[in-house]
Amino acid sequence: MFFRNLTLFRFPASVSFADIDERLRDTALKPVGPLELSSRGFIPPFGNAAEGDDVAYMHQIERSIWLAVGGEDRLLPSAVVNDQLQKKIAEFEARNGRKPGGKMRRQLKDELVTDLLPRAFVRPVRTDALVDLKHHVIAIDTSSKKSAEAVVSQVREALGSFPALPLNAEVATGTLLTGWLAGDALPAGLSLGEECELRDPGDSGAVVKLQGMELSGEEIETHLESGKQVTRLALRLDDHVSFVLGDDLVIRKFKLLDGAVEQLESSDRDDIRAELDARFALMAAEFDRLFAVLEPVLKLSKAG
């Protein structure tokens, strides 16, 4: 397992995770009920790899904790509901000789949803999270702020209190990224990748996306001279990590490169659990390195 996106929240150093496994177990995922649209709760990070063992709801390596929030969503497409609702409305009109009013329409729809929900397909979902106890950050494998906040809410429910806040930079991140693209010195270890997104700050809000190309030259200069600001910029950390940093501080397209994954390939592991353990350890170590580089240059504020 390797995270693909990282939405970051900062939490105070005073937060205790001493008995977190027991607390996660108490808020474990329950099957979605017949009349529920969705259900959320914690699941064992190793999933089926831990079947038959004393299943743990967290996995810790040194100062990094791996959590996973699972879910079940009932699939009830609005097109299906609307189609069936029109049939019910037609039946009502034929039976009563008049169209149903707004209150009756809502009642018919509620009855329809109640009837359809138990027969709807259930889709499993999963979102992983890395709790970094060194930097006091939780990194959630999603680029959606809404999904990330939902995971933070689940942790808060489990711990009783979890005052985590979205990561906040004390510098204008877009201005910093624009400077890097324009030729300003990058922090040690970082280099430009081959992707960026620029936006016109004016009324037009025009967006330019460049991919698979060297981020220098006349085209880039023209966009920068016209006043466009960088909103996303591809970067590399040594030969270990590539990622796209956004002005919203979300890390997208997080990928471990050959310099990092060769450590996995050089080992011989037939046990899937041992393999997942090694992958998480590697990813946590590389995240630690990356955050240590980004924190001082972005002046990331700490939670109280």
Side-chain angles (χ1 to χ4, degrees), residues 178-214:
T178 302
W180 287 350
L181 183 61
D184 290 352
L186 287 123
L190 284 187
S191 60
L192 293 179
E194 299 181 334
E195 176 182 345
C196 72
E197 178 182 287
L198 304 101
R199 184 183 299 273
D200 189 331
D203 294 336
S204 70
V207 175
V208 175
K209 297 182 180 181
L210 303 174
Q211 291 183 308
M213 62 178 292
E214 185 176 349

Side-chain angles (χ1 to χ4, degrees), residues 19-38:
D19 57 349
I20 188 172
D21 188 71
E22 180 180 346
R23 291 177 178 271
L24 298 180
R25 194 180 303 273
D26 290 341
T27 52
L29 174 66
K30 295 179 175 59
V32 63
L35 297 180
E36 292 179 320
L37 282 170
S38 64

Side-chain angles (χ1 to χ4, degrees), residues 250-266:
V250 174
I251 296 172
R252 298 172 173 84
K253 299 184 179 182
F254 180 83
K255 181 181 180 181
L256 299 187
L257 304 176
D258 291 345
V261 298
E262 65 185 12
Q263 300 174 49
L264 292 175
E265 296 169 353
S266 62

